[in-house]
Structures are given as structure tokens and as C-alpha cells.
Amino acid sequence: MTDCPACGNKKSCGKHHVYVIELQPSVLDQRKFFPDRTTLSSQPRCFYVGQTSHRPDCRYKQHVRKNRENRNFDCYCETGQPIRRPFTAFNHGNRFVRDYHMPGGLRPELFSHLNPIYKGQEEALKVEAKLACELITAGHAVHFN
């Protein structure tokens, strides 16, 4: 299963995508991660849901990068070849994902059927929120923007 059926092997299809990253249950110790504990099932899974113009696997790599001395990352999305990109306020990783991601934490089985999103970032934000709400309704702990 791929992150997006329209993306190439390395190059992005150029559309927006949603993605889901599974986090370690210990993230629940962080109150800011998911403050409303009333909706959780007895054994909730923990997720971060996001949207991006990158391929989901590229965005995942940005999130989990821990070496802040090297302020760049390799992105294949535009050309299929690595391009050095700087971290900015718009593409740095979420701290919950960076500190609590499960190894291989990207969960395409939860989102690949939604990708690509053809109507731009505004629609991607709506799809992100809807997907997050579906996971919360299922009893999971979810952080999204």
C-alpha cells in the first residue's frame, strides 16, 4: 500500500496529502497532547494527523529528524532527486511526533485512500480535521492542527 496512489516512486504528484503517524502510548503523559481524556477507549492508540504538500513519507522524515545542528533535510518531492531544503517555521517537525513516534510510525492504511487531495490546502485541512475526528470518535487519542 502506498501513501498516495498518484505519487511516483520518489516524486510527489504535486497535490496535497493527509497522513497519520502512530505515537507511543507514553505521549499521553503529555497533557497538551490530548487534553480531553473522556473520549478515550480502554486501550487507545495515539496518533498525529497532518496535511502536507509533500509526499507523506517525506513529511514523516521531516517530523522525526532529531539532529538540529544540520538545519537541512533531503526532499525528493519536486524532482524525484534529492534537494537540500532548510527547516523553517512551516516545515519543522511536531515535537510529539519527533519525541514519541513509533518506529515506522506512518500508517497509510488509515489515510492512503484519501490521497491525493485535488482542491488545495483548504480542502486538505478539512480532510485532516475529519480524519482526526473519526479517529477520536473511535476512541483514540489524536493531535492535529
Side-chain angles (χ1 to χ4, degrees):
M1 184 173 286
T2 61
D3 300 345
C4 171
C7 285
N9 199 23
K10 293 227 180 232
K11 186 177 175 182
S12 173
C13 65
K15 305 296 179 198
H16 279 80
H17 303 92
V18 291
Y19 59 93
V20 177
I21 299 170
E22 187 164 5
L23 307 177
Q24 298 169 21
S26 58
V27 72
L28 288 173
D29 295 339
Q30 302 296 314
R31 196 82 178 135
K32 289 185 177 182
F33 171 74
F34 189 74
D36 182 10
R37 308 297 166 116
T38 61
T39 62
L40 296 180
S41 66
S42 60
Q43 293 192 350
R45 292 169 69 189
C46 301
F47 299 106
Y48 176 86
V49 177
Q51 63 82 32
T52 184
S53 60
H54 288 267
R55 286 173 48 105
D57 59 335
C58 180
R59 184 65 179 122
Y60 176 72
K61 291 174 189 172
Q62 293 170 35
H63 275 297
V64 301
R65 178 107 182 209
K66 290 186 180 181
N67 182 354
R68 292 297 178 208
E69 292 174 14
N70 183 349
R71 304 294 290 174
N72 299 305
F73 64 96
D74 287 332
C75 177
Y76 292 80
C77 293
E78 193 175 315
T79 65
Q81 299 297 317
I83 297 174
R84 286 303 262 180
R85 301 266 188 221
F87 280 106
T88 69
F90 301 105
N91 66 10
H92 69 289
N94 176 276
R95 70 183 180 97
F96 297 124
V97 177
R98 185 176 58 250
D99 295 341
Y100 294 96
H101 70 279
M102 300 280 270
L106 204 58
R107 298 293 177 248
E109 67 276 9
L110 298 174
F111 65 83
S112 65
H113 64 285
L114 300 170
N115 291 330
I117 299 169
Y118 289 99
K119 296 181 182 177
Q121 185 177 23
E122 188 174 315
E123 183 66 19
L125 289 166
K126 290 177 187 175
V127 174
E128 172 191 355
K130 182 179 179 200
L131 178 56
C133 289
E134 288 172 0
L135 291 168
I136 291 168
T137 299
H140 302 297
V142 180
H143 186 81
F144 69 106
N145 293 324

